[in-house]
Amino acid sequence: MEQKKQHVVLFDMDGTITEAREKINKKTINSLMRLSLHATIGILTGSKMKDLVNQCEELWKSRKEFWDGFLYLLPCNGTKCYKITKDGISEAIYENDMKSHLGEKKLSDIFKKIQSAQHFTVSDKLFDNIILEPDFIDYRGSLINWCPIGRSASKANRVRFSTLDNREDVRTTMIDTLKLDNNIPSLLE
């Protein structure tokens, strides 16, 4: 008879159990399977569910029965929660939605402010050698992902941005620009 596991261990996906935006490897799968004998496992990511599945489905794909009820997937920074069962991935057992919480007008205002901060910050000459992609805002229902160089940016551009950000503190400037609007600070603190 299966004994209830009293411990829960959460892992971040990108940069922890997988390389950033890459698929999980066999060594990590084996380590997680050994750990799962002692604890329930949760995989947490800022990414969407489809990205989590794409990167980690090898973990449970052939052994759903092994994970039945002891593996949870938490995309969108944990604002959604799914369980792996012997029948596959459950429907969301928890989901938080910004639009219903804030209302369409406030959410629209946030999008406009992000677009303004994006334009204000990246129009600077600092971005001359970084190719910006147009998909810098990704609304995920339960969170807004703002990627200043664009979600589809190449690894080379991500490295360039990271170097620039470390030197010039670009993200702090973007956040400060958002905070200039009196309606938004409470959402960012």
Side-chain angles (χ1 to χ4, degrees):
M1 182 170 170
E2 183 68 36
Q3 193 173 15
K4 185 176 180 181
K5 299 175 184 177
Q6 295 183 6
H7 300 284
V8 176
V9 180
L10 293 175
F11 291 95
D12 178 50
M13 187 169 67
D14 288 318
T16 304
I17 64 166
T18 68
E19 293 297 322
R21 306 185 96 180
E22 299 294 326
K23 294 191 181 285
I24 193 168
N25 64 46
K26 294 282 186 201
K27 182 179 177 185
T28 302
I29 290 172
N30 291 335
S31 295
L32 290 173
M33 289 181 83
R34 283 192 307 277
L35 176 62
S36 74
L37 298 173
H38 308 284
T40 298
I41 294 175
I43 300 173
L44 179 70
T45 180
S47 297
K48 294 178 184 177
M49 182 63 170
K50 70 177 184 131
D51 297 323
L52 192 156
V53 170
N54 181 50
Q55 288 179 256
C56 293
E57 76 178 328
E58 287 301 316
L59 176 61
W60 65 84
K61 189 174 177 183
S62 63
R63 308 269 319 261
K64 289 178 190 150
E65 291 80 15
F66 179 85
W67 293 106
D68 190 20
F70 296 111
L71 177 62
Y72 289 82
L73 310 175
L74 300 123
C76 302
N77 292 332
T79 59
K80 298 179 182 183
C81 181
Y82 301 83
K83 178 172 43 172
I84 298 295
T85 70
K86 65 181 185 288
D87 299 319
I89 300 172
S90 71
E91 293 294 317
I93 57 177
Y94 173 82
E95 187 170 4
N96 197 347
D97 177 67
M98 289 179 71
K99 190 183 294 184
S100 63
H101 181 73
L102 298 174
E104 287 187 25
K105 171 76 172 102
K106 189 138 189 155
L107 187 59
S108 178
D109 290 345
I110 292 170
F111 289 145
K112 290 174 189 172
K113 193 64 180 173
I114 291 171
Q115 289 172 330
S116 175
Q118 175 81 9
H119 176 73
F120 171 78
T121 309
V122 301
S123 61
D124 189 55
K125 66 181 179 180
L126 294 173
F127 282 81
D128 281 347
N129 71 337
I130 299 174
I131 298 169
L132 301 173
E133 301 294 339
D135 57 347
F136 61 91
I137 297 177
D138 187 13
Y139 175 61
R140 299 177 182 175
S142 55
L143 68 88
I144 300 168
N145 181 276
W146 176 13
C147 181
I149 61 168
R151 299 283 309 147
S152 58
S154 67
K155 284 186 180 183
N157 274 324
R158 289 175 181 273
V159 168
R160 286 185 198 106
F161 177 79
S162 181
T163 301
L164 173 67
D165 186 38
N166 287 335
R167 187 179 70 233
E168 303 291 336
D169 212 9
V170 174
R171 289 179 296 163
T172 299
T173 301
M174 291 177 156
I175 290 169
D176 290 345
T177 301
L178 281 176
K179 287 183 176 182
L180 292 175
D181 185 331
N182 292 333
N183 297 321
I184 296 185
S186 62
L187 296 174
L188 298 173
E189 297 173 350

